[in-house]
Amino acid sequence: MDTAPPNQRGQQHPPYAEVQSSPEFGELRHAHRSFAFPLTVAFVSWYLLYVLLSNYAGGFMDTKLAGNINVAFVFGLAQFLTTFLIAWWYARHAAAKLDPRAKAIKSGLEGES
């Protein structure tokens, strides 16, 4: 019985470095980053605005809109809403732009094995 690691028994590992340097992988990485980074910055800014307004603009945040519902409550609910909207939007983006490219790269990689 041969107990040597697979790469020492004549089997080769898939060419991950080649795939990583391929134009297809670069396009996949660009499609992900061009969506995720700006959206992350926007959401973190939106969240920090909520925190800063809560700490330093108490009078504004305490403004009643309807009954006991004030601006702070609406902003808080909007945080949850934007979280779910971003998750839904990213899922659509991934299904349309990222997953097909990733599957093509994966099939090309598995086809070389």
Side-chain angles (χ1 to χ4, degrees):
M1 179 168 194
D2 190 1
T3 59
N7 61 345
Q8 293 178 3
R9 282 187 262 154
Q11 297 177 357
Q12 294 186 0
H13 292 292
Y16 294 113
E18 292 175 25
V19 171
Q20 187 177 9
S21 64
S22 71
E24 295 84 10
F25 189 80
E27 290 171 7
L28 174 63
R29 187 172 44 232
H30 176 73
H32 170 70
R33 288 179 177 175
S34 65
F35 183 89
F37 288 165
L39 204 55
T40 300
V41 168
F43 182 77
V44 169
S45 299
W46 161 238
Y47 176 74
L48 288 175
L49 174 68
Y50 174 65
V51 171
L52 290 172
L53 286 174
S54 294
N55 283 317
Y56 300 110
F60 169 71
M61 295 297 271
D62 197 36
T63 304
K64 302 283 185 198
L65 299 176
N68 287 329
I69 297 175
N70 60 15
V71 173
F73 183 73
V74 172
F75 266 59
L77 289 178
Q79 291 291 318
F80 285 103
L81 179 63
T82 55
T83 300
F84 290 113
L85 285 174
I86 289 170
W88 169 78
W89 192 15
Y90 180 78
R92 287 192 49 171
H93 171 74
K97 307 267 173 143
L98 304 179
D99 293 347
R101 291 176 179 172
K103 286 178 185 175
I105 292 170
K106 180 182 175 189
S107 66
L109 186 61
E110 289 174 343
E112 294 177 8
S113 298

